[in-house]
């Protein structure tokens, strides 16, 4: 058994890199800028160079490295190919093959939201569980489905595209995906603000919130302060997310749901609103699923990517 | 490699039994009555006796049998335990352990809707695919999720409980599961009749259908004859089922959807109505999923159960 591996999380601004022991101990982590110019052609060479340099620095033999796992912000096939990743500048790219050639190491890839889910299942909020679903409530709504310790990638890399579950015909805006009624439109950081504005349009409400400037954080702070309107928004948010997760439960029946991303920083109150409606809508056999807040934060991606190259 | 195996499908009235070659060839199939009296205690001994007798009849050595797969109508854990199966008379029962002791053969178990899905994926409508979702539109709405050739059983045996996906707050009746708004209430054989009656209540319609006596078959026959009201019912049915399958696609992104059960005997027309709404609601990456009608009919269960004991 080799002792080390790398977990890489490629984002639009920085590449997060982690050197791990194969038992899951994080040895070192660092970031490098994501150079998206020229079709993002420097991203993988930069990543490879900093990985190999770290081995030199730590005096670790390449033979003692199990491999490199890499998470990318977009669909990636089981054999490590991305068709197109706009925010990295990439067109068609054989990511794992290229990174493997650059480093001489085994390489496996995954979608960023999916590997974050795997990270939380391995060493984060859901450690010890075999199957779980993570929802990342950030700029968008991402997700990952883990069954028996493995990511459900899906035929088109769309496994865990939870943000595009249809929750309400009446949502008036188009989603970036081209559909109407997507969860992302009412449950992401921007989505909850949009939801609040929409609810204010239909009826004027007394609230501490300023419709012009309010953020997701403002809304949850107001919920904690007992603002009636903010609590109505939280109920509506909870009903959408609870419904989506209930329908996921009738499909894959996970042990645990992990709620992460910026919106989840509001804390346990968010779980209360989600669970209330999850329990209302879910199949009775699934009512006891656990709900937990993510614990790895921005490190979930490097943990999950590292796990991709560790066999158990 | 052993050459034979059994696939068993236990129903409330009969136990369907199949002797297979391990390459998937059905050698012989037959049925025995399901004796549910006395807590269903004779069901497994009857099954074991008829399996062993078949080996004698065919002059097959027990050593040449890979095992017995058994599907049961209710939740069953990964280690073959059912907590309670009302329509067989069973309470807590260690199904695979008991059947293994009775036969001297390896035994694996699965839920009946799940093994039917596995059967269609192995030798039926979806043969050659690695991941697929089957929906069985019968007395109820059952389902099975197959990922990389394996059943997603779920933590509580509720994987693939597609009938209990919540599709519409306004559905006025309670489902047998205790919730309101379940797909089963509007998409099963009884459900589509209930849906048609509900649509007639809100507004009188000209139709060839007799509200007192119509069946699911009558409704689909009327659709094929161009009856306007029947077509409205089919649209509504398609929108519910298309929505549920679209949301499943955003979760597990399967290659193929298999539509089976009695209602599917209406033929390809049913796929047209489902696909129309599936395409409306699904994430764009999943729009090309295939839709096929089940082909194994009542044999899907014995095929899928047999597959449970065949490693690839």
């Amino acid at each position: 058994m080799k002792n080390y591996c790398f977990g890489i999380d490629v984002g639009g601004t920085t590449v997060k890199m982690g050197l791990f022991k194969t038992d899951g101990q994080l040895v070192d982590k660092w970031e490098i800028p994501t150079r998206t110019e020229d079709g993002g052609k420097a991203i993988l060479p930069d990543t490879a160079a900093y990985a190999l340099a770290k081995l030199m620095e730590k005096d670790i033999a390449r033979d003692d490295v199990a491999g490199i796992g890499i998470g990318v912000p977009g669909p990636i096939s089981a054999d490590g190919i991305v068709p197109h990743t706009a925010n990295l500048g990439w067109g068609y790219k054989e990511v794992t093959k290229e990174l493997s050639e650059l480093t001489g190491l085994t390489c496996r890839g995954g979608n960023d939201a999916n590997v974050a889910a795997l990270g939380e299942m391995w060493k984060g909020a859901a450690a010890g569980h075999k199957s779980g679903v993570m929802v990342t409530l950030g700029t968008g709504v991402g997700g990952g489905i883990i069954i028996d310790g493995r990511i459900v990638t899906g035929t088109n890399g769309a496994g865990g595209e939870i943000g595009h579950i249809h929750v309400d015909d009446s949502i008036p805006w188009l989603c970036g995906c081209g559909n109407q009624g997507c969860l992302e439109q009412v449950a992401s950081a921007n989505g909850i603000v949009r939801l609040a504005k929409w609810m204010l349009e239909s009826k004027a409400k007394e609230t501490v919130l300023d419709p012009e400037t309010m953020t997701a954080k403002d809304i949850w702070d107001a919920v904690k302060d007992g603002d009636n309107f903010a609590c109505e928004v939280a109920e509506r948010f909870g009903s959408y997310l609870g419904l989506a997760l209930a329908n996921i439960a009738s499909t894959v029946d996970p042990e645990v749901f992990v709620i992460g991303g910026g919106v989840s920083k509001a804390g346990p109150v968010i779980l209360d609103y989600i669970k209330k409606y999850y329990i209302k809508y879910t199949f009775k056999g699934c009512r006891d699923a656990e709900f937990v807040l993510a614990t790895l934060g921005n490190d979930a991606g490097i943990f999950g990517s590292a796990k991709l190259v560790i066999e158990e």
Side-chain angles (χ1 to χ4, degrees), chain A:
Chain A
M1 171 103 172
K2 303 186 178 196
N3 284 304
Y4 295 92
C5 64
F6 288 100
I8 313 291
D9 181 11
V10 183
T13 310
T14 61
V15 179
K16 295 181 184 65
M17 303 184 63
L19 172 66
F20 291 81
K21 295 290 271 294
T22 45
D23 65 3
Q25 189 193 327
L26 178 60
V27 177
D28 198 1
K29 65 172 179 169
W30 65 99
E31 295 184 12
I32 61 175
T34 308
R35 294 200 285 148
T36 56
E37 63 271 19
D38 292 334
K41 70 179 182 186
I43 297 173
L44 293 179
D46 285 354
T47 301
Y50 278 86
L52 295 178
K54 186 60 69 177
L55 294 184
M56 293 288 283
E57 177 196 324
K58 300 281 184 189
D59 202 16
I60 295 168
R62 186 154 50 186
D63 283 353
D64 202 19
V65 179
I68 299 192
I70 182 167
V72 299
I76 180 167
S77 71
D79 47 355
I81 295 168
V82 305
H84 177 75
T85 307
N87 53 350
L88 301 183
W90 288 350
Y92 174 91
K93 199 169 196 69
E94 298 181 351
V95 174
T96 55
K97 180 161 175 281
E98 191 174 322
L99 189 56
S100 184
E101 284 169 1
L102 287 163
T103 57
L105 293 167
T106 301
C107 184
R108 295 224 176 89
N111 166 271
D112 56 358
N114 289 353
V115 297
L118 188 61
E120 289 288 348
M121 294 290 296
W122 184 38
K123 293 291 170 185
H129 290 284
K130 300 283 280 180
S131 74
V133 171
M134 180 167 175
V135 190
T136 303
L137 305 169
T139 312
V141 173
I145 315 286
I146 310 294
I147 307 281
D148 290 333
R150 302 177 66 158
I151 292 170
V152 177
T153 303
T155 308
N156 310 286
E161 281 288 354
I162 294 173
H164 303 288
I165 287 182
H166 180 94
V167 291
D168 184 357
D169 279 335
S170 73
I171 294 171
W173 335 281
L174 277 184
C175 182
C177 78
N179 284 353
Q180 211 154 354
C182 291
L183 176 65
E184 178 162 293
Q185 291 302 305
V186 288
S188 66
N190 296 328
I192 191 167
V193 172
R194 215 181 278 121
L195 173 63
K197 287 184 182 171
W198 182 34
M199 290 171 69
L200 280 171
E201 274 168 24
S202 61
K203 201 162 122 188
K205 308 269 186 179
E206 257 184 59
T207 173
V208 298
L209 292 165
D210 176 345
E212 299 304 313
T213 63
M214 64 183 167
T215 63
K217 182 176 184 305
D218 295 337
I219 294 170
W220 287 105
D221 285 344
V223 170
K224 290 176 205 166
D225 289 342
D227 181 87
N228 280 338
F229 171 69
C231 291
E232 281 177 42
V233 175
E235 293 279 346
R236 187 85 164 261
F237 162 90
S239 75
Y240 287 134
L241 200 47
L243 170 63
L245 300 187
N247 287 345
I248 290 172
S250 299
T251 305
V252 297
D253 184 16
E255 293 170 28
V256 58
F257 288 96
V258 181
I259 313 296
V263 176
S264 73
K265 291 185 182 151
V269 63
I270 196 175
L271 299 185
D272 297 339
Y273 283 98
I274 298 169
K275 276 171 75 173
K276 174 177 173 183
Y277 290 92
Y278 173 80
I279 287 167
K280 172 180 175 183
Y281 289 120
T282 201
F283 183 58
K284 59 185 173 186
C286 306
R287 266 177 211 153
D288 293 333
E290 273 184 62
F291 281 75
V292 293
L293 292 169
T295 56
L296 295 178
N298 288 334
D299 288 346
I302 56 172
F303 273 90
S305 297
K307 182 69 178 72
L308 289 175
V309 292
I310 302 172
E311 297 292 339
E312 283 189 302

